[in-house]
Amino acid sequence: MKLSKLFFRTLKEVPGDAEAISHILLLRAGYIRRLGSGIYTYLPLAKKVLLKIENIVREEMININSQELLLPALQPKEIWEISGRWKKYGPELMRFKDRHDKEYALGPTHEEVITDLINREVSSYKQLPISVFQIQTKFRDEIRPRFGLMRSREFIMKDAYSFHRNEEDLDVTYWDMFHAYEKILNRMGLNFKSVEADSGAIGGSVSHEFMVLTPYGEDKILYCSSCSYAANLEKASSSYEPFDTRDFAEMDIVSTPNAKTVDEVSKFVGVDQKYILKSLMYKIEGEPTMIILAGDDELNEVKLKNAFGGKEISMMTPDEIKQKLDLSVGSIGPVKVNNIKLICDKRVCVENVSFYAGANKDGYHFKNVYFKRDFYSDNIFDLRVSKAGEFCPHCGAKLVESTGSEAGHVFKLGTKYSEPMKAYFKDENGKEKPFEMGCYGIGISRLLSIVVEQHHDEFGIIWPATLCPYQVIVIPANVKDENQLNTAEMIFHELRDRGISVLFDDRDDRAGVKFKDADLLGIPIKIIIGGHFSKSGLIEIKIRRDGSSNLVPPDEASVYVSLKLRQLI
RNA sequence: CGGGGUGUAGCGCAGCGGGAGCGCACCUGCUUUGGGAGCAGGGGGUCAGAGGUUCAAAUCCUCUCACCCCGACCA
């Protein structure tokens, strides 16, 4: 491809609304352009990279016997009503009416469509398992699109679905997918962690997210500095330094005027925050419930919700607490409350530890409050937000926190969709059973961004050799020098004939401009025919990633480059 | 949806009652040619839109629209 003919343009200045480095570089290098909020055009360079991403994904899917198909993006309302998600999915679902006033959604995901299809086509256990995938544009009416391609309203995704006769069979495919995802991300040269995740709106039991470590990620993860443990912050657990124990002392009431928060009480009585019990009032399915945590901990609402099977939970307002329970925030505590349900984080459920706790009387706290002796609950769960610096639940090494961006997500759905959609097959005994399902997504267009987040420097993008839009760029420093131009053209043709994808910078620009553009675009190898060539007849081959360069005779260029390319992969 | 902000040339911005400007990009010419060149000349605008105040509005007021940031939300 001659650069003079390539539909692209690089920008020196950064469009004001770009913040993430990947967004800035993809705009500056002429890969993407914004059409509206969260809507982007992929220019030819980006399309080439997308195809490479897709093909890596495609290969690994086919490797584990998943078959490619293409489902409709346009989906009638009815199918979403059967699964119950027309109501449940919320405003993120792009909806509209056609001219007959019939309602539709633009698919954000395809569980309904595929379950319906498989139900129609598959009726016997003999046809199972079956695994299918598609690469398609999806739509989500995101509350707030962000960071360019990282969170957009129209995006490209690979989603796969599998159907099984039982859980054991699902388990096999689930882990096949899991390992395929690892391979895919490794082939793209990404540094990532697979984490245990909350399954959120899609539902199901087991779920892992593939988090790529990036500064502009929207999720926080904790991972072990030693073993492979990693988890989404909302799911992470940890072990921690034990409390100091003390023999029982008599409980006492102390005046704590104007000390309401844990911090204030801690300062007033001169005791570390962790020895002050934090008592929070929540409504769980309407029932007022007191939640007890150590003072320096924060409640993890996701853990709370999961502990109660996904029931509706909400924090009570100070007014509600006053009206319904005649307690005021700042002096609430678990001691001597009989009519309120009590839930404890397991960290505070240890004997021989002396706590302070609200006395349920304005301006007073109890001291020497002991678990079991002074407060007790059967409802003991891990409810706290784990923190960096605490210890891995598997191996005990320190946990590290990082932000990450979700590149992929695998779920075991079980019968969450097949049951309500009455998607059944006949088992060996002729009995009707719902399909056991799994679903597996990878954000194709998001990966374009994620890869740039991890592969760039101050000069621009540095594509891994597996994803570059072109492998080599041939640069005659001065196109008016016929000797340079002819040699460059010869090398260009030779490389092309070897099946190497190559750009030829035939533009009548100064060398500096061409170098800057080549670096910005992120082409792995530059071949420069310029000053060195005119002096010594040697051409320069420069590697984008480390800036190293070598001088070789022109007729050895193509061999040298093919060799280098193999090393770069 | 709440809070904050911005809409002026393709991009980045200044101007904030009286001439629509600067830098980059673009076009022409000459020079230059190894890390985003120099000089000279040139084209490009419904100052987001509608209404209002004023002798006079990009500038002040009202409404609408679009976009961005923070938060709530989130396969």
Side-chain angles (χ1 to χ4, degrees):
Chain A
M1 183 78 197
K2 289 189 171 170
L3 216 50
S4 62
K5 303 278 184 245
L6 180 69
F7 177 31
F8 90 117
R9 155 142 92 168
T10 55
L11 307 173
K12 268 196 230 174
E13 279 171 308
V14 185
D17 52 10
E19 193 184 348
I21 188 70
S22 58
H23 192 193
I24 292 170
L25 289 176
L26 288 169
L27 284 167
R28 282 195 54 210
Y31 284 78
I32 61 171
R33 292 292 181 255
R34 195 182 70 92
L35 177 63
S37 177
I39 312 173
Y40 288 87
T41 294
Y42 306 101
L43 293 162
L45 285 168
K47 182 61 189 167
K48 285 206 154 236
V49 180
L50 282 175
L51 279 169
K52 290 206 173 177
I53 295 174
E54 284 177 23
N55 280 331
I56 288 175
V57 171
R58 191 170 271 128
E59 278 175 34
E60 296 301 337
M61 287 296 104
I62 290 168
N63 256 340
I64 55 168
N65 300 314
S66 196
Q67 303 178 56
E68 186 163 12
L69 48 60
L70 187 59
L71 300 164
L74 183 58
Q75 304 171 9
K77 174 187 182 181
E78 287 74 27
I79 196 159
W80 284 79
E81 282 190 321
I82 297 171
S83 71
R85 286 210 294 182
W86 185 260
K87 283 212 174 79
K88 261 204 218 151
Y89 207 97
E92 240 180 62
L93 186 63
M94 287 275 193
R95 303 162 213 247
F96 67 96
K97 289 178 182 170
D98 70 6
R99 61 171 76 191
H100 306 296
D101 241 23
K102 189 172 151 55
E103 293 187 271
Y104 292 87
L106 286 174
T109 168
H110 284 70
E111 284 81 10
E112 282 81 3
V113 179
I114 191 64
T115 305
D116 178 72
L117 178 76
I118 296 294
N119 192 31
R120 287 169 198 275
E121 306 300 325
V122 177
S123 38
S124 160
Y125 73 95
K126 291 177 192 162
Q127 292 166 277
L128 297 175
I130 188 161
S131 168
V132 293
F133 76 98
Q134 62 170 344
I135 293 172
Q136 201 201 39
T137 298
K138 311 269 184 180
F139 301 87
R140 271 190 208 162
D141 195 353
E142 288 289 349
I143 222 166
R144 181 141 90 89
R146 243 191 275 216
F147 305 143
L149 301 182
M150 299 286 251
R151 175 163 293 256
S152 52
R153 295 197 297 173
E154 180 184 311
F155 55 99
I156 302 166
M157 178 168 139
K158 185 273 329 183
D159 48 333
Y161 304 90
S162 69
F163 295 79
H164 309 270
R165 51 197 293 200
N166 55 34
E167 285 181 40
E168 295 75 59
D169 198 48
L170 167 60
D171 196 61
V172 173
T173 299
Y174 183 85
W175 289 106
D176 279 352
M177 283 284 175
F178 186 97
H179 293 120
Y181 276 33
E182 289 182 324
K183 278 190 204 160
I184 288 166
L185 298 178
N186 279 328
R187 286 178 67 179
M188 297 181 187
L190 291 171
N191 178 15
F192 66 96
K193 296 276 172 190
S194 56
V195 306
E196 298 171 14
D198 187 68
S199 46
I202 284 194
S205 48
V206 178
S207 162
H208 285 86
E209 285 178 340
F210 291 80
M211 305 295 301
V212 179
L213 306 181
T214 62
Y216 275 93
E218 292 173 80
D219 297 290
K220 286 192 170 152
I221 63 171
L222 281 182
Y223 62 93
C224 178
S225 52
S226 162
C227 77
S228 67
Y229 177 78
N232 213 308
L233 193 60
E234 59 201 24
K235 185 110 181 181
S237 59
S238 57
S239 55
Y240 27 77
E241 300 280 2
F243 290 109
D244 295 334
T245 56
R246 267 178 63 186
D247 289 339
F248 280 143
E250 199 151 321
M251 195 168 76
D252 204 0
I253 192 162
V254 290
S255 169
T256 51
N258 299 322
K260 291 188 182 301
T261 65
V262 167
D263 186 41
E264 287 162 0
V265 175
S266 152
K267 283 189 180 128
F268 187 82
V269 299
V271 165
D272 194 290
Q273 288 196 17
K274 66 184 175 185
Y275 294 105
I276 316 288
L277 292 179
K278 182 184 275 188
S279 309
L280 304 172
M281 293 304 306
Y282 269 74
K283 275 190 296 193
I284 298 180
E285 208 111 288
E287 185 188 356
T289 308
M290 188 184 293
I291 295 152
I292 310 301
L293 298 152
D296 60 344
D297 278 339
E298 274 182 66
L299 175 68
N300 182 330
E301 288 198 5
V302 174
K303 285 183 182 176
L304 178 64
K305 198 164 182 171
N306 288 341
F308 286 86
K311 286 183 182 166
E312 201 57 41
I313 61 163
S314 63
M315 200 166 187
M316 291 176 73
T317 64
D319 284 350
E320 275 181 307
I321 296 169
K322 190 80 198 164
Q323 278 170 19
K324 293 192 180 163
L325 308 166
D326 195 30
L327 295 174
S328 55
V329 176
S331 62
I332 297 175
V335 183
K336 296 177 187 166
V337 282
N338 301 322
N339 50 345
I340 301 174
K341 185 171 177 182
L342 208 60
I343 298 173
C344 296
D345 175 62
K346 72 168 197 262
R347 184 176 174 212
V348 298
C349 297
V350 284
E351 296 179 50
N352 300 317
V353 176
S354 170
F355 292 105
Y356 278 79
N360 296 319
K361 185 177 165 190
D362 260 342
Y364 289 92
H365 279 76
F366 289 124
K367 77 184 274 193
N368 297 328
V369 172
Y370 289 82
F371 176 65
K372 270 197 179 160
R373 191 189 74 178
D374 304 316
F375 70 100
Y376 182 74
S377 172
D378 288 325
N379 293 301
I380 298 171
F381 304 100
D382 174 20
L383 296 172
R384 59 192 290 278
V385 177
S386 293
K387 297 171 207 161
E390 292 173 351
F391 308 104
C392 173
H394 292 176
C395 75
K398 278 213 170 169
L399 293 175
V400 182
E401 184 177 312
S402 170
T403 52
S405 189
E406 180 188 351
H409 204 153
V410 294
F411 296 87
K412 282 189 187 177
L413 295 173
T415 59
K416 186 180 152 80
Y417 291 89
S418 51
E419 194 81 77
M421 294 186 72
K422 299 193 171 54
Y424 301 130
F425 65 95
K426 285 246 172 64
D427 71 3
E428 305 91 309
N429 306 313
K431 252 182 79 180
E432 296 242 289
K433 282 176 72 176
F435 294 101
E436 287 287 334
M437 291 173 56
C439 79
Y440 321 91
I442 280 192
I444 301 286
S445 49
R446 179 181 277 186
L447 272 170
L448 185 64
S449 247
I450 285 179
V451 169
V452 177
E453 287 286 329
Q454 279 201 355
H455 295 278
H456 68 268
D457 63 12
E458 56 187 306
F459 303 110
I461 301 169
I462 306 173
W463 292 113
T466 46
L467 296 178
C468 54
Y470 291 91
Q471 294 166 295
V472 179
I473 182 164
V474 176
I475 304 176
N478 181 357
V479 293
K480 295 214 172 94
D481 181 326
E482 280 197 19
N483 205 7
Q484 288 186 12
L485 187 66
N486 291 339
T487 307
E489 195 146 12
M490 183 201 83
I491 293 169
F492 167 55
H493 288 301
E494 214 178 297
L495 288 168
R496 232 178 30 178
D497 292 346
R498 280 182 173 258
I500 293 167
S501 62
V502 40
L503 275 175
F504 181 42
D505 196 344
D506 59 334
R507 297 175 301 172
D508 183 11
D509 265 309
R510 297 163 66 86
V513 173
K514 300 185 183 188
F515 297 153
K516 289 284 185 199
D517 273 349
D519 288 348
L520 187 56
L521 294 190
I523 310 300
I525 296 179
K526 284 194 286 286
I527 299 182
I528 302 156
I529 300 97
H532 287 297
F533 175 72
S534 296
K535 268 179 247 151
S536 62
L538 297 177
I539 62 167
E540 183 180 358
I541 297 182
K542 204 164 180 181
I543 308 302
R544 173 70 178 93
R545 190 179 299 170
D546 56 16
S548 65
S549 84
N550 270 296
L551 296 173
V552 303
D555 53 353
E556 288 172 24
S558 61
V559 176
Y560 184 91
V561 165
S562 356
L563 220 90
K564 265 287 175 202
L565 278 172
R566 239 166 282 148
Q567 291 168 10
L568 283 174
I569 291 168

